[in-house]
């Protein structure tokens, strides 16, 4: 089963993605984590992505589709993947759709994490003080939210016309949101 988690930065996709990965026994694949790791290790991918990411902009569709293709080819992905914040532009949605189709698979669920702006800003400020991510500084946060609204929010409409989406109220305790996610997947 392939599941896509979509929502603005700070919506809690990472936390819920990790819980879902455990609950379903499927690997979680987060392009943000993969890119941060590449930057940390100074790989060619990391060198290309570093400045773009730190400013809060989106990395190019070509780079992203390359890493998704490599991830889907891994044996661990054969039973399905939790795609956490992986699809952020319409060309990426189309590219992932083609990749999955070429493997005889589909995106089975698209979960949209709904959070108010006030909640997002509060969560990102709290995370900055804990994790110290370069792109959690106020200017980069503003750029990331703008990238979400301009480039990623239209992806929701794309999925609405290509199979459908399920909205999750992502405000509340971690366990409450996790229970809503399981209900949305028909697992509760
Ligand atoms: P956030 O949810 O705040 O965007 P992530 O850790 O998921 O945080 O991603 C961090 C950064 O990595 C993004 O701001 C962007 O620069 C880059 N990134 C991650 N996934 C993608 C993607 N699918 N397309 C383009 N850029 C991406």
């Amino acid at each position: 089963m392939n599941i896509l988690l979509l929502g603005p930065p700070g919506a809690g996709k990472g936390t819920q993605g990790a819980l879902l990965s455990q609950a379903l026994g499927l690997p979680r694949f987060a392009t943000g984590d993969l890119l941060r790791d590449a930057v940390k290790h100074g790989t060619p991918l990391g060198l290309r992505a570093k400045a773009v990411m730190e400013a809060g902009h989106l990395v190019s569709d070509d780079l992203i589709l390359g890493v998704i293709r490599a991830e889907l080819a891994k044996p661990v992905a054969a039973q399905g993947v939790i795609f956490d914040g992986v699809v952020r532009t319409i060309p990426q949605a189309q590219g992932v759709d083609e990749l999955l189709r070429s493997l005889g698979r589909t995106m089975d669920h698209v979960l949209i994490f709904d959070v108010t702006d006030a909640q997002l800003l509060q969560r990102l400020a709290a995370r900055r003080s804990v994790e110290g991510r370069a792109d959690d500084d106020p200017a980069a946060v503003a750029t990331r939210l703008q990238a979400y609204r301009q480039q990623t929010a239209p992806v929701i409409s794309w999925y609405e016309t290509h199979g459908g989406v399920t909205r999750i109220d992502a405000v509340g305790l971690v366990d409450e949101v996790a229970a809503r996610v399981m209900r949305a997947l028909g697992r509760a």
Side-chain angles (χ1 to χ4, degrees):
M1 180 164 50
N2 293 294
I3 302 172
L4 174 64
L5 312 182
L6 245 170
K13 301 180 300 285
T15 305
Q16 294 300 328
L19 291 173
L20 199 52
S21 163
Q22 270 187 344
L24 302 181
L26 293 174
R28 167 179 166 265
F29 171 49
T31 32
D33 289 351
L34 185 141
L35 292 169
R36 261 188 298 284
D37 207 51
V39 169
K40 197 169 109 197
H41 291 99
T43 68
L45 173 67
L47 294 176
R48 289 178 71 184
K50 188 173 191 289
V52 177
M53 274 180 86
E54 287 181 355
H57 293 294
L58 293 183
V59 171
S60 78
D61 292 334
D62 281 356
L63 276 187
I64 295 293
L65 286 168
V67 299
I68 299 172
R69 186 178 294 111
E71 196 64 25
L72 281 174
K74 292 181 181 169
V76 72
Q79 298 308 312
V81 175
I82 316 272
F83 291 93
D84 176 349
V86 169
V87 177
R88 301 194 188 207
T89 65
I90 289 181
Q92 289 180 24
Q94 291 166 331
V96 169
D97 191 56
E98 277 165 30
L99 275 172
L100 286 171
R101 245 182 309 141
S102 71
L103 296 165
R105 305 181 206 165
T106 51
M107 194 62 88
D108 301 293
H109 295 276
V110 178
L111 306 182
I112 314 296
F113 282 60
D114 275 333
V115 190
T116 62
D117 279 7
Q119 277 273 343
L120 289 182
L121 295 173
Q122 205 182 337
R123 287 183 187 181
L124 291 169
R127 183 166 82 185
R128 184 180 181 217
S129 63
V130 177
E131 295 180 13
R133 264 173 59 169
D135 63 351
D136 275 345
D137 83 70
V141 163
T143 307
R144 280 157 65 207
L145 287 174
Q146 196 186 23
Y148 179 78
R149 292 195 182 107
Q150 290 180 349
Q151 291 166 275
T152 308
V155 172
I156 298 175
S157 318
W158 190 90
Y159 278 111
E160 276 169 344
T161 56
H162 291 80
V165 304
T166 308
R167 290 188 177 269
I168 307 284
D169 172 7
V171 180
L173 298 174
V174 169
D175 288 353
E176 290 168 351
V177 179
R180 290 177 202 141
V181 169
M182 292 311 267
R183 270 200 298 279
L185 298 174
R187 299 264 170 163

